[in-house]
Short mmCIF file of all heavy atoms in Angstrom, two decimals:
data_model
loop_
_atom_site.label_atom_id
_atom_site.label_comp_id
_atom_site.label_asym_id
_atom_site.label_seq_id
_atom_site.Cartn_x
_atom_site.Cartn_y
_atom_site.Cartn_z
N PHE V 1117 132.04 111.66 72.94
CA PHE V 1117 132.06 112.81 73.91
C PHE V 1117 132.29 112.20 75.34
O PHE V 1117 132.91 112.81 76.17
CB PHE V 1117 130.81 113.61 73.77
CG PHE V 1117 130.76 114.84 74.68
CD1 PHE V 1117 131.62 115.89 74.41
CD2 PHE V 1117 129.86 114.89 75.74
CE1 PHE V 1117 131.54 117.06 75.23
CE2 PHE V 1117 129.84 116.08 76.54
CZ PHE V 1117 130.68 117.11 76.26
N VAL V 1118 131.62 111.08 75.57
CA VAL V 1118 131.73 110.45 76.88
C VAL V 1118 133.16 109.93 77.11
O VAL V 1118 133.74 110.18 78.14
CB VAL V 1118 130.71 109.27 77.04
CG1 VAL V 1118 130.87 108.59 78.39
CG2 VAL V 1118 129.30 109.80 76.91
N TRP V 1119 133.69 109.31 76.11
CA TRP V 1119 135.10 108.85 76.18
C TRP V 1119 136.01 109.99 76.51
O TRP V 1119 136.93 109.90 77.33
CB TRP V 1119 135.54 108.15 74.94
CG TRP V 1119 135.24 106.72 74.82
CD1 TRP V 1119 134.16 106.14 74.16
CD2 TRP V 1119 135.99 105.63 75.35
NE1 TRP V 1119 134.18 104.83 74.28
CE2 TRP V 1119 135.30 104.45 74.96
CE3 TRP V 1119 137.14 105.56 76.04
CZ2 TRP V 1119 135.78 103.15 75.29
CZ3 TRP V 1119 137.63 104.30 76.36
CH2 TRP V 1119 136.93 103.12 76.04
N ALA V 1120 135.76 111.15 75.82
CA ALA V 1120 136.68 112.31 75.99
C ALA V 1120 136.56 112.80 77.43
O ALA V 1120 137.58 113.09 78.07
CB ALA V 1120 136.23 113.45 75.04
N ASN V 1121 135.33 112.87 77.95
CA ASN V 1121 135.18 113.36 79.34
C ASN V 1121 135.68 112.37 80.35
O ASN V 1121 136.13 112.75 81.41
CB ASN V 1121 133.72 113.72 79.59
CG ASN V 1121 133.39 115.06 79.10
OD1 ASN V 1121 133.71 116.11 79.75
ND2 ASN V 1121 132.77 115.14 77.93
N TYR V 1122 135.59 111.07 80.02
CA TYR V 1122 136.16 110.04 80.93
C TYR V 1122 137.65 110.20 81.07
O TYR V 1122 138.18 110.26 82.15
CB TYR V 1122 135.81 108.68 80.41
CG TYR V 1122 136.32 107.55 81.22
CD1 TYR V 1122 135.74 107.25 82.47
CD2 TYR V 1122 137.47 106.83 80.89
CE1 TYR V 1122 136.24 106.22 83.29
CE2 TYR V 1122 137.95 105.81 81.73
CZ TYR V 1122 137.34 105.49 82.89
OH TYR V 1122 137.81 104.50 83.72
N ALA V 1123 138.31 110.38 79.90
CA ALA V 1123 139.77 110.60 79.93
C ALA V 1123 140.11 111.81 80.68
O ALA V 1123 141.02 111.82 81.51
CB ALA V 1123 140.31 110.69 78.49
N THR V 1124 139.36 112.87 80.48
CA THR V 1124 139.52 114.10 81.22
C THR V 1124 139.45 113.92 82.68
O THR V 1124 140.24 114.48 83.48
CB THR V 1124 138.50 115.19 80.80
OG1 THR V 1124 138.56 115.28 79.38
CG2 THR V 1124 138.81 116.52 81.38
N SER V 1125 138.39 113.16 83.11
CA SER V 1125 138.18 112.93 84.52
C SER V 1125 139.33 112.22 85.14
O SER V 1125 139.63 112.50 86.33
CB SER V 1125 136.88 112.19 84.74
OG SER V 1125 135.81 112.80 84.12
N LEU V 1126 139.94 111.34 84.46
CA LEU V 1126 141.14 110.63 85.02
C LEU V 1126 142.18 111.67 85.33
O LEU V 1126 142.86 111.60 86.38
CB LEU V 1126 141.67 109.63 83.97
CG LEU V 1126 140.85 108.44 83.61
CD1 LEU V 1126 141.54 107.60 82.53
CD2 LEU V 1126 140.57 107.58 84.87
N VAL V 1127 142.42 112.61 84.46
CA VAL V 1127 143.43 113.64 84.66
C VAL V 1127 143.00 114.47 85.86
O VAL V 1127 143.86 114.77 86.72
CB VAL V 1127 143.62 114.51 83.46
CG1 VAL V 1127 144.66 115.55 83.67
CG2 VAL V 1127 143.97 113.67 82.22
N GLN V 1128 141.76 114.85 85.94
CA GLN V 1128 141.35 115.68 87.07
C GLN V 1128 141.60 115.05 88.36
O GLN V 1128 142.10 115.64 89.36
CB GLN V 1128 139.83 116.04 86.91
CG GLN V 1128 139.58 117.04 85.84
CD GLN V 1128 138.06 117.18 85.60
OE1 GLN V 1128 137.35 116.24 85.22
NE2 GLN V 1128 137.57 118.41 85.73
N ILE V 1129 141.29 113.68 88.46
CA ILE V 1129 141.44 112.97 89.71
C ILE V 1129 142.95 112.86 90.09
O ILE V 1129 143.37 113.01 91.22
CB ILE V 1129 140.84 111.55 89.61
CG1 ILE V 1129 139.38 111.60 89.42
CG2 ILE V 1129 141.22 110.68 90.78
CD1 ILE V 1129 138.64 112.00 90.68
N LEU V 1130 143.79 112.52 89.11
CA LEU V 1130 145.13 112.18 89.41
C LEU V 1130 146.09 113.42 89.49
O LEU V 1130 147.10 113.35 90.19
CB LEU V 1130 145.68 111.22 88.36
CG LEU V 1130 145.00 109.82 88.45
CD1 LEU V 1130 145.30 109.10 87.09
CD2 LEU V 1130 145.56 109.01 89.61
N GLY V 1131 145.75 114.46 88.80
CA GLY V 1131 146.65 115.61 88.72
C GLY V 1131 146.32 116.77 89.65
O GLY V 1131 147.24 117.28 90.27
N THR V 1132 145.03 117.06 89.80
CA THR V 1132 144.70 118.26 90.55
C THR V 1132 145.20 118.26 91.94
O THR V 1132 145.65 119.32 92.48
CB THR V 1132 143.17 118.48 90.53
OG1 THR V 1132 142.65 118.23 89.21
CG2 THR V 1132 142.81 119.85 90.96
N PRO V 1133 145.17 117.11 92.71
CA PRO V 1133 145.66 117.17 94.10
C PRO V 1133 147.12 117.61 94.20
O PRO V 1133 147.48 118.21 95.22
CB PRO V 1133 145.54 115.71 94.55
CG PRO V 1133 144.59 115.09 93.65
CD PRO V 1133 144.65 115.78 92.34
N VAL V 1134 147.91 117.37 93.16
CA VAL V 1134 149.33 117.76 93.26
C VAL V 1134 149.49 119.25 93.23
O VAL V 1134 150.25 119.87 93.99
CB VAL V 1134 150.15 117.09 92.16
CG1 VAL V 1134 151.62 117.48 92.27
CG2 VAL V 1134 150.07 115.59 92.26
N VAL V 1135 148.71 119.93 92.32
CA VAL V 1135 148.80 121.40 92.31
C VAL V 1135 148.25 121.95 93.60
O VAL V 1135 148.73 123.00 94.12
CB VAL V 1135 148.20 122.03 91.04
CG1 VAL V 1135 146.64 122.14 91.21
CG2 VAL V 1135 148.72 123.36 90.80
N ALA V 1136 147.25 121.27 94.16
CA ALA V 1136 146.67 121.71 95.43
C ALA V 1136 147.71 121.75 96.52
O ALA V 1136 147.87 122.76 97.16
CB ALA V 1136 145.47 120.84 95.80
N VAL V 1137 148.45 120.64 96.63
CA VAL V 1137 149.43 120.63 97.70
C VAL V 1137 150.57 121.57 97.41
O VAL V 1137 151.12 122.18 98.34
CB VAL V 1137 149.95 119.18 97.97
CG1 VAL V 1137 150.95 118.72 96.96
CG2 VAL V 1137 150.49 119.03 99.35
N THR V 1138 150.88 121.76 96.11
CA THR V 1138 151.93 122.74 95.79
C THR V 1138 151.58 124.13 96.22
O THR V 1138 152.39 124.87 96.84
CB THR V 1138 152.17 122.73 94.25
OG1 THR V 1138 152.31 121.36 93.83
CG2 THR V 1138 153.43 123.53 93.88
N LEU V 1139 150.36 124.56 95.87
CA LEU V 1139 149.96 125.88 96.26
C LEU V 1139 149.82 126.04 97.75
O LEU V 1139 150.13 127.09 98.33
CB LEU V 1139 148.59 126.24 95.59
CG LEU V 1139 148.69 126.44 94.08
CD1 LEU V 1139 147.29 126.56 93.46
CD2 LEU V 1139 149.52 127.70 93.79
N PHE V 1140 149.43 124.97 98.38
CA PHE V 1140 149.36 124.92 99.85
C PHE V 1140 150.75 125.20 100.46
O PHE V 1140 150.90 125.99 101.41
CB PHE V 1140 148.83 123.49 100.27
CG PHE V 1140 148.83 123.26 101.71
CD1 PHE V 1140 148.03 123.96 102.58
CD2 PHE V 1140 149.56 122.22 102.28
CE1 PHE V 1140 147.96 123.71 103.96
CE2 PHE V 1140 149.57 122.02 103.65
CZ PHE V 1140 148.74 122.73 104.47
N LEU V 1141 151.79 124.57 99.85
CA LEU V 1141 153.14 124.83 100.36
C LEU V 1141 153.57 126.25 100.09
O LEU V 1141 154.30 126.85 100.88
CB LEU V 1141 154.11 123.82 99.71
CG LEU V 1141 153.95 122.35 100.11
CD1 LEU V 1141 154.99 121.48 99.43
CD2 LEU V 1141 154.03 122.21 101.62
N VAL V 1142 153.17 126.81 98.96
CA VAL V 1142 153.54 128.17 98.67
C VAL V 1142 152.96 129.12 99.67
O VAL V 1142 153.56 130.04 100.18
CB VAL V 1142 153.03 128.56 97.24
CG1 VAL V 1142 153.08 130.05 97.01
CG2 VAL V 1142 153.94 127.90 96.17
N VAL V 1143 151.62 128.83 99.97
CA VAL V 1143 150.96 129.67 100.96
C VAL V 1143 151.62 129.56 102.30
O VAL V 1143 151.89 130.53 102.99
CB VAL V 1143 149.49 129.19 101.09
CG1 VAL V 1143 148.80 129.80 102.32
CG2 VAL V 1143 148.74 129.72 99.83
N LEU V 1144 152.02 128.34 102.73
CA LEU V 1144 152.72 128.11 103.99
C LEU V 1144 154.08 128.89 104.02
O LEU V 1144 154.42 129.53 104.97
CB LEU V 1144 153.01 126.62 104.19
CG LEU V 1144 151.95 125.78 104.88
CD1 LEU V 1144 152.56 124.36 105.06
CD2 LEU V 1144 151.53 126.36 106.14
N GLU V 1145 154.74 128.80 102.87
CA GLU V 1145 156.06 129.37 102.87
C GLU V 1145 155.96 130.86 102.92
O GLU V 1145 156.73 131.53 103.59
CB GLU V 1145 156.84 128.92 101.58
CG GLU V 1145 158.26 129.45 101.54
CD GLU V 1145 159.14 128.78 100.60
OE1 GLU V 1145 158.89 127.57 100.41
OE2 GLU V 1145 160.06 129.37 100.10
N ARG V 1146 155.00 131.41 102.17
CA ARG V 1146 154.85 132.84 102.19
C ARG V 1146 154.34 133.35 103.48
O ARG V 1146 154.72 134.41 103.98
CB ARG V 1146 153.92 133.30 101.06
CG ARG V 1146 153.89 134.76 100.83
CD ARG V 1146 153.07 135.08 99.54
NE ARG V 1146 152.73 136.47 99.48
CZ ARG V 1146 153.48 137.36 98.95
NH1 ARG V 1146 154.67 137.01 98.40
NH2 ARG V 1146 153.10 138.64 98.85
N GLY V 1147 153.40 132.57 104.11
CA GLY V 1147 152.86 133.00 105.36
C GLY V 1147 153.70 132.82 106.58
O GLY V 1147 153.79 133.63 107.44
N LEU V 1148 154.35 131.63 106.57
CA LEU V 1148 155.05 131.27 107.78
C LEU V 1148 156.61 131.27 107.58
O LEU V 1148 157.37 130.91 108.45
CB LEU V 1148 154.64 129.87 108.28
CG LEU V 1148 153.17 129.72 108.58
CD1 LEU V 1148 152.77 128.31 108.86
CD2 LEU V 1148 152.75 130.64 109.73
N HIS V 1149 157.06 131.57 106.39
CA HIS V 1149 158.50 131.58 106.06
C HIS V 1149 159.13 130.26 106.42
O HIS V 1149 160.23 130.23 107.05
CB HIS V 1149 159.16 132.71 106.77
CG HIS V 1149 158.50 134.03 106.57
ND1 HIS V 1149 158.53 134.67 105.34
CD2 HIS V 1149 157.69 134.77 107.38
CE1 HIS V 1149 157.75 135.73 105.41
NE2 HIS V 1149 157.26 135.83 106.62
N ILE V 1150 158.49 129.21 105.97
CA ILE V 1150 158.99 127.87 106.34
C ILE V 1150 160.09 127.38 105.41
O ILE V 1150 160.93 126.65 105.80
CB ILE V 1150 157.83 126.87 106.38
CG1 ILE V 1150 157.00 127.21 107.60
CG2 ILE V 1150 158.29 125.45 106.36
CD1 ILE V 1150 155.98 126.14 107.95
N GLY V 1151 160.10 127.76 104.14
CA GLY V 1151 161.27 127.46 103.31
C GLY V 1151 161.28 126.15 102.59
O GLY V 1151 162.28 125.49 102.54
#
Side-chain angles (χ1 to χ4, degrees):
Chain V
F1117 184 69
V1118 177
W1119 275 97
N1121 278 282
Y1122 179 76
T1124 307
S1125 303
L1126 294 176
V1127 181
Q1128 287 172 300
I1129 294 286
L1130 293 163
T1132 318
V1134 179
V1135 80
V1137 78
T1138 312
L1139 289 172
F1140 175 65
L1141 292 181
V1142 165
V1143 165
L1144 273 185
E1145 185 161 330
R1146 189 173 167 87
L1148 302 174
H1149 308 291
I1150 287 192

